[in-house]
Amino acid sequence: MANIREYNMNGTLILGIDHGYGNIKTAHRVFPTALIKSEKAPTFSKDYLEYDGYFYIIGEGHKSFIAEKQSDDDNYILTLAAIAKELNARNLTSARVHLASGLPLKWVQAQRESFRQYLMQNKIVQFRYKGRQYEVEIAGCTVMPQCYSAVAENLKDFKGMNLLADIGNGTMNIMYLNNGRAMESKSWTEKLGVFQCMQRSWTKREQT
């Protein structure tokens, strides 16, 4: 695995979490965006999280598309799992973290603050992941536009007119860059990702 830069600010670990509709992505881990909630510990799965009296199997199945990611508890639980996986990669069980997350390009303006508050609903959170106890202080959260975040550090490299496309599982983000400058009037988020394309393909096959 290539060396990954660590971002640490005054003792606070900055963790990037991409809350995708298909997968959760962090610097060291990728896992399906899916949860199974139970009042009892799972029989077979070892990839589960214990929080607030419930057990959550991580990564089995597929979560239905919901435009507003803060409309249920799933993305909060998946965030805790992502934090645990990143801390485990560093052999840590406690940390002070700042979350860096993203929302689809054109939904950031309307949902940024509510999603930030959603991820920061508990300043101190305790949970168990794979049988290990974790205690995390969520010191802050920055919510950024998906797609644009991928090139923000390298805008000077984009000369002339460029089309930036981020094709995810549930959405597609499109943005024009004019000499490295993002054009807000020419940026879109479409509810058309890989999963929807596959569904349409399956439907057409069944009809023929």
Side-chain angles (χ1 to χ4, degrees):
M1 180 184 291
N3 290 331
I4 297 175
R5 285 182 294 172
E6 288 283 10
Y7 293 90
N8 198 297
M9 181 174 59
N10 298 324
T12 300
L13 182 63
I14 301 175
L15 294 182
I17 301 176
D18 182 348
H19 294 82
Y21 286 104
N23 294 287
I24 302 290
K25 283 85 71 179
T26 66
H28 296 90
R29 301 289 184 265
V30 177
F31 59 97
T33 303
L35 286 177
I36 299 175
K37 182 179 179 180
S38 175
E39 294 182 351
K40 296 181 180 180
T43 302
F44 300 107
S45 177
K46 294 183 179 180
D47 193 359
Y48 68 92
L49 184 143
E50 302 173 52
Y51 175 70
D52 200 22
Y54 290 96
F55 297 86
Y56 297 88
I57 299 176
I58 307 297
E60 290 190 8
H62 180 83
K63 180 175 171 57
S64 300
F65 178 87
I66 300 177
E68 294 193 5
K69 297 181 180 181
Q70 63 272 29
S71 60
D72 59 26
D73 294 332
D74 288 3
N75 277 294
Y76 185 73
I77 301 300
L78 290 166
T79 299
L80 297 184
I83 293 172
K85 288 174 182 287
E86 280 297 303
L87 293 186
N88 182 260
R90 297 165 172 82
N91 199 29
L92 298 173
T93 56
S94 64
R96 188 172 191 263
V97 305
H98 183 105
L99 301 178
S101 185
L103 284 173
L105 195 58
K106 296 300 287 185
W107 299 353
V108 172
Q109 189 174 22
Q111 298 182 26
R112 172 182 278 152
E113 184 56 27
S114 59
F115 193 56
R116 190 184 73 84
Q117 292 180 4
Y118 170 81
L119 294 178
M120 293 187 63
Q121 60 185 270
N122 296 302
K123 183 175 178 60
I124 305 292
V125 58
Q126 296 178 335
F127 57 92
R128 294 179 67 83
Y129 176 68
K130 291 187 174 181
R132 299 182 72 184
Q133 182 71 28
Y134 289 83
E135 181 170 320
V136 178
E137 177 185 352
I138 301 179
C141 178
T142 302
V143 179
M144 300 167 289
Q146 292 172 351
C147 185
Y148 178 73
S149 301
V151 299
E153 290 186 328
N154 305 298
L155 290 174
K156 66 180 185 301
D157 298 331
F158 292 86
K159 308 299 182 183
M161 191 70 74
N162 293 271
L163 177 62
L164 182 63
D166 177 1
I167 303 173
N169 195 69
T171 59
M172 178 168 57
N173 296 290
I174 303 170
M175 168 181 278
Y176 278 93
L177 298 174
N178 187 2
N179 286 319
R181 183 174 63 87
M183 303 180 69
E184 189 156 350
S185 62
K186 291 188 176 182
S187 60
W188 302 271
T189 292
E190 300 290 343
K191 295 180 182 178
L192 182 63
V194 175
F195 183 66
Q196 288 88 344
C197 290
M198 290 177 63
Q199 283 185 316
R200 294 185 183 187
S201 175
W202 295 332
T203 300
K204 288 184 178 179
R205 286 183 182 180
E206 291 175 354
Q207 291 174 348
T208 58

